[in-house]
Amino acid sequence: MTGRETGGRPEAGAPKLGRLEAGAPKLDGTEVSGPKFGGPELGAPKLGGPEAGAPKPDRPELGAPKFDGPELGGPKIDGPKLDRPELGAPKLHGPKLGDELVSLEIPVTRTLIVAGALASRDYQDVHHDAESAREKGSPDVFMNILTTNGLVGRYVTDRFGPSAVLRRVAIRLGAPNYPGDTMVLSGTVTALGEDGTVEVSVVGANGLGRHVTGTVTVSIPVDVTLPEGSA
């Protein structure tokens, strides 16, 4: 066989097909020595961010003042103090023998007399009808004993606070309470029980003299304390 092979093999010296020769440019792409595409060249500025040396946004520089709070050395802000008595507040103490309760002035009005009689279901005419009262020898209507009893009890329980429980009221009437007068109630602690009971002697005086005298017994918690001046 002289220079040609059988079986589809090229002869010796024939050019090779489908392959680039050495040094030929590459097809369907960039040359080896050409610029690269799809990205910045070496030494080109960076995109999408500040260049070197540009100020940083939204960040305080070193040495800038801090916000959202008082500076060091600034004035102190004091809010109100709660549930703490200030200096000079009244001292607390329990009831003692001889303590005098703060007095209470009660204006004796016609309305108080009539309303008290109706509230206690005392329908005697001398407590709501001035003409009937005069026919019976009184200068005007006058307070009934049940109204006086309620005022005396309220006077004592108010002085010992809402925890006080009324146990007994024993009173005797004197000078009548007429409209336009003023009754002044006063009281003195006369006995103390180990079970927390307190006995108070009460006097109610008006312009004519003593309207009521009596004794009131209340029970209070053993550890109760009272502001000075209430008893």
Side-chain angles (χ1 to χ4, degrees):
M1 298 181 67
T2 61
R4 184 182 298 271
E5 296 183 38
T6 61
R9 296 181 64 185
E11 295 180 4
K16 297 179 181 180
L17 302 179
R19 296 178 64 184
L20 297 177
E21 297 181 6
K26 296 180 180 180
L27 303 180
D28 299 328
T30 59
E31 295 182 6
V32 173
S33 60
K36 297 179 180 179
F37 298 96
E41 297 182 11
L42 293 177
K46 297 180 180 180
L47 304 179
E51 296 183 8
K56 298 179 181 179
D58 300 326
R59 293 180 62 185
E61 298 181 4
L62 294 177
K66 298 180 181 179
F67 299 97
D68 300 327
E71 297 183 9
L72 293 177
K76 295 181 179 179
I77 302 174
D78 295 327
K81 297 179 180 179
L82 304 179
D83 300 326
R84 294 181 62 185
E86 298 182 2
L87 294 177
K91 298 179 180 179
L92 303 178
H93 66 88
K96 296 178 296 185
L97 286 176
D99 280 348
E100 293 185 358
L101 278 61
V102 176
S103 61
L104 174 66
E105 292 187 3
I106 300 176
V108 181
T109 64
R110 190 175 301 274
T111 299
L112 176 60
I113 293 173
V114 175
L118 294 177
S120 58
R121 298 185 179 184
D122 184 349
Y123 303 118
Q124 293 189 57
D125 51 11
V126 293
H127 302 308
H128 65 267
D129 188 335
E131 285 297 324
S132 296
R134 294 189 187 99
E135 291 176 359
K136 296 180 179 179
S138 175
D140 205 337
V141 294
F142 54 91
M143 185 176 288
N144 72 338
I145 189 172
L146 296 176
T147 301
T148 300
N149 191 81
L151 293 174
V152 168
R154 189 204 77 176
Y155 166 65
V156 175
T157 55
D158 281 358
R159 292 300 179 267
F160 285 95
S163 59
V165 178
L166 195 63
R167 295 301 183 187
R168 180 174 179 268
V169 178
I171 60 172
R172 181 185 298 273
L173 293 183
N177 267 344
Y178 292 119
D181 207 341
T182 298
M183 179 175 65
V184 180
L185 291 171
S186 59
T188 304
V189 176
T190 55
L192 296 173
E194 294 181 357
D195 57 352
T197 56
V198 181
E199 183 181 276
V200 181
S201 175
V202 178
V203 174
N206 58 24
L208 299 176
R210 288 189 172 186
H211 167 69
V212 61
T213 56
T215 301
V216 178
T217 303
V218 294
S219 62
I220 60 175
V222 176
D223 59 347
V224 73
T225 55
L226 306 173
E228 288 184 353
S230 65

